[in-house]
Each structure stands twice: as structure tokens, then as C-alpha cells.
Amino acid sequence: MTQEQKVSVGIVGASGYGGVQLVRLLKEHPLVELAYLGGDSSAGKPYSDLYPHLGHSINLNVEAIDLEIIASRCQVVFLGLPNGLACDLAPPLLAKGCKVLDLSADYRFTSLETYSKWYGKERQDQAIASTAVYGLPELYREDIKNASLIGCPGCYPTASLMAISPLLRQGLILPETTIIDAKSGTSGGGRQAKINMLLAEADSSIGAYNVAGKHRHTPEIEQICSDLAGHEVRVQFTPHLMPMVRGIMSTVYATLRDPNLVRDDLITIYNAFYRTSPFVKILPGGVYPQTKWACGTNLCYLGIEVDPRTDRVIVMSAIDNLVKGQSGQAVQCLNLMMGWEESLGLPQMCFYP
């Protein structure tokens, strides 16, 4: 494919950790040309001023956000902005013929009332929002193929939903017993300075936060769980901050409807459920995932166990929060939207050790 035949892509909000992951992935994607990098506070600066290690490869400047310029250059636009901004930019970009992938929470919810309750912004774009597809390919692959607007999932929901989806879709658990215990590296908090993310604060310590349904990803997880189960589902979700840079480990506990199910039964069910999903790796019995295995990749590792004493299933899910949990998954959605091979341009070999 010649340079002229490649799909031109822009990133609005290129300065954060999600943005730089997109730059890395799209720069190495064989069918994409990176045509625009946009930002606010960093506008006018060479991208290499923000990330000097990319100076040999990226010679673009960060530009002010101008929708006319973006639409004139880009067929596809990734929005990597704080919550509450994409919903102002996506409608005019779509009207100008761009495909839009939003990495914030703005287009993840089927109910804008739920979004406004949790994110504090009133919305007037119901018609546009109703066309958005939740960007988890393993669940909504066919819908993504036909969409022009994708609401890319959060990193905690991605890890958690990958673990629990087969159980809910097949009706194998009592949904009300679901507990999600999730742990994330500090890069999930973004690049802006925060006291709790300082090395002196985060190192050698583990802490829970936003406990008892206070985390904004709770309603996002419950929305998809309810869709899978066919009725309203509430889960107990507790996030933790870990003293590491990358990765999420989400451990899901739930009571089985049939206490006679054993681990091998569930491994067979999971392998069948994810048989067409190239990035999901179901581990053999007795092998449990580690976040390091997924580091730098778009993979999700799933380990499954059954405790016959309590009749509970335990599913462990490990991903890289910045790749499968964010930018890599967005590129996976781009591949589906464009009719390309789903795994094109996405890494499957981790940084190790």
C-alpha cells in the first residue's frame, strides 16, 4: 500500500499516556498514516519536546484543536481527552465525515442520565450518543464493524468484563454474588502530577480507593453485565493502586448455579466463548496470570479456578492498562471498523522481564 492509500488518522489529546501509546501503535501500523496531533496546553510544541525518546521517529508538532483542520486531514480521529470534552467534538467531526473513537467515558453509556449522574455534565447529544458502540471487540465485534462512533471502554471494565462475560452470558453464576477485586498500576492515573502517584507515596504500598460503589467504572461494568445477563445486575467492585507502572489484575468471584461444575468444564466454556478472539489467552488449569506477561501487549490472560468448598468460581484477568485497557483496544476497534485483520499492528509479545 502506498502512502497515498493509507488511512489518515489524527489524535486529539496526544500528550498523555494514552496518546503516546496511540502514537507508538499507529506509527507502526502498516495501513495508517499519522496526520495530526492535537492538544491544548502543549499546542505549538514539537511532539519530541514532550517525549524526547520519539524525536527520531515523530516529526509532528502538537497543534491547536481546530475541527476544520482535523476533518480536512483525517479520515479517523481518536479523542484522548478528559471526560466531558469528547461529546462536544465528536458530533461536528462525524458530520464532516470522520470516524471517531473516543477513549474517554463520554460515549460508553446507553443512558446519558447515568453518564450525567456520575460525570457531572448535562448532555444535548442524545441522537449522536445513541449511535455509539461500546468498543469491546470480544463482545460487540459485529456492531463495531458497522459503527462510525466508538466509546472505548475503561481499563478496569475491560479486565473485569473479559473475566466475567462468559459466566453471565451462559447464566452460570448468581449475578448478585459477583465481587470484583481489581488492582492497577500508577499509569492508570495519567501523566499529570498527583501526590498519591509520587514514588515516595506509591512505592512499597497497596491501597484501595473509591470503595463501596464510588468508582466511576462501576456503572460502566454494571451496564455491560446487565446486557450480558438480560436483566439488571449490580456488582461489588473495589479498585486498588499498586506500586507498579503498568498493568491491571482483576479477580472476579461469584457463586456457581451448578456446584457440580469443575475447573475443566469452565476452561472448555471459556475457550469456546473466546474461540474467535485472537487477544484472549485462556490458561491451562492451575496456571494463573501475571500482569508482567501482558506488559506492552494487547493480550488478556485469563486464569480460572473453582473452589468446591464455597461453590465459587474465581477468574483472574491480566492486561496492560494502557494497551488492551486503552489505546491498543482502540486500534483493535479501528481495524474492525476499516475491515482489516483484527490483530493488525498490535503487539502480542510482552516486554520481559
Side-chain angles (χ1 to χ4, degrees):
M1 176 173 284
T2 66
Q3 197 75 9
E4 290 73 22
Q5 294 173 311
K6 290 185 176 183
V7 171
S8 57
V9 172
I11 304 170
V12 181
S15 62
Y17 287 145
V20 74
Q21 296 302 310
L22 275 173
V23 168
R24 176 174 74 94
L25 295 172
L26 295 172
K27 183 65 177 178
E28 297 181 349
H29 196 293
L31 302 183
V32 162
E33 176 193 7
L34 193 55
Y36 171 89
L37 299 177
D40 187 7
S41 60
S42 54
K45 297 179 180 178
Y47 197 65
S48 58
D49 279 7
L50 306 179
Y51 293 101
H53 68 286
L54 297 179
H56 69 285
S57 181
I58 307 296
N59 60 3
L60 295 172
N61 288 347
V62 179
E63 301 181 47
I65 299 171
D66 186 313
L67 299 183
E68 293 294 337
I69 290 175
I70 297 171
S72 69
R73 291 193 209 162
C74 303
Q75 297 164 268
V76 178
V77 182
F78 292 86
L79 300 178
L81 297 165
N83 300 314
L85 299 179
C87 56
D88 295 327
L89 301 183
L93 287 171
L94 290 164
K96 295 176 186 298
C98 298
K99 293 181 182 293
V100 175
L101 297 103
D102 174 30
L103 277 67
S104 79
D106 287 13
Y107 289 104
R108 296 174 188 166
F109 291 90
T110 55
S111 166
L112 292 189
E113 182 179 350
T114 300
Y115 170 87
S116 296
K117 175 183 176 181
W118 285 83
Y119 289 89
K121 177 167 181 171
E122 295 300 320
R123 300 276 293 275
Q124 307 298 326
D125 57 335
Q126 178 65 59
I128 293 294
S130 66
T131 69
V133 172
Y134 192 74
L136 191 57
E138 288 74 17
L139 297 183
Y140 302 109
R141 183 175 285 109
E142 296 306 313
D143 293 330
I144 292 168
K145 289 179 180 179
N146 299 311
S148 294
L149 174 60
I150 302 294
C152 298
C155 49
Y156 276 131
T158 294
S160 303
L161 291 168
M162 298 294 280
I164 200 173
S165 290
L167 301 173
L168 288 170
R169 179 66 62 79
Q170 304 295 338
L172 299 175
I173 59 172
L174 302 175
E176 66 274 13
T177 67
T178 302
I179 296 172
I180 301 172
D181 182 283
K183 299 172 175 67
S184 173
T186 59
S187 61
R191 203 184 191 200
Q192 291 183 338
K194 302 179 180 73
I195 290 177
N196 66 314
M197 301 295 178
L198 295 173
L199 178 63
E201 301 283 339
D203 189 42
S204 303
S205 179
I206 300 171
Y209 62 100
N210 290 342
V211 180
K214 296 182 179 68
H215 196 282
R216 286 175 167 181
H217 283 160
T218 300
E220 183 181 337
I221 294 170
E222 291 180 343
Q223 171 185 272
I224 305 304
C225 286
S226 299
D227 182 43
L228 291 164
H231 57 82
E232 184 177 354
V233 172
R234 288 191 175 181
V235 302
Q236 197 73 64
F237 170 62
T238 304
H240 302 74
L241 182 66
M242 294 289 288
M244 60 186 187
V245 175
R246 303 173 79 115
I248 281 184
M249 173 70 76
S250 185
T251 303
V252 175
Y253 306 84
T255 300
L256 290 164
R257 288 187 187 276
D258 181 357
N260 295 313
L261 283 173
V262 298
R263 180 179 66 193
D264 287 348
D265 296 329
L266 290 169
I267 288 175
T268 298
I269 290 168
Y270 271 71
N271 276 312
F273 188 89
Y274 288 119
R275 64 188 179 279
T276 61
S277 299
F279 294 110
V280 182
K281 306 303 176 186
I282 311 300
L283 297 170
V287 179
Y288 310 131
Q290 299 179 25
T291 55
K292 186 178 283 290
W293 298 354
C295 184
T297 80
N298 201 55
L299 298 179
C300 174
Y301 288 93
L302 296 176
I304 304 162
E305 193 56 86
V306 171
D307 186 347
R309 300 177 309 108
T310 60
D311 297 332
R312 289 195 185 103
V313 58
I314 305 160
V315 185
M316 295 141 280
S317 172
I319 64 171
D320 185 317
N321 58 297
L322 296 177
V323 187
K324 180 58 178 168
Q326 191 178 35
S327 299
Q329 185 149 262
V331 174
Q332 187 180 351
C333 289
L334 169 67
N335 287 338
L336 290 169
M337 295 169 79
M338 302 307 298
W340 300 333
E341 173 63 37
E342 186 173 334
S343 59
L344 192 64
L346 288 167
Q348 298 195 47
M349 294 294 288
C350 69
F351 307 142
Y352 200 94

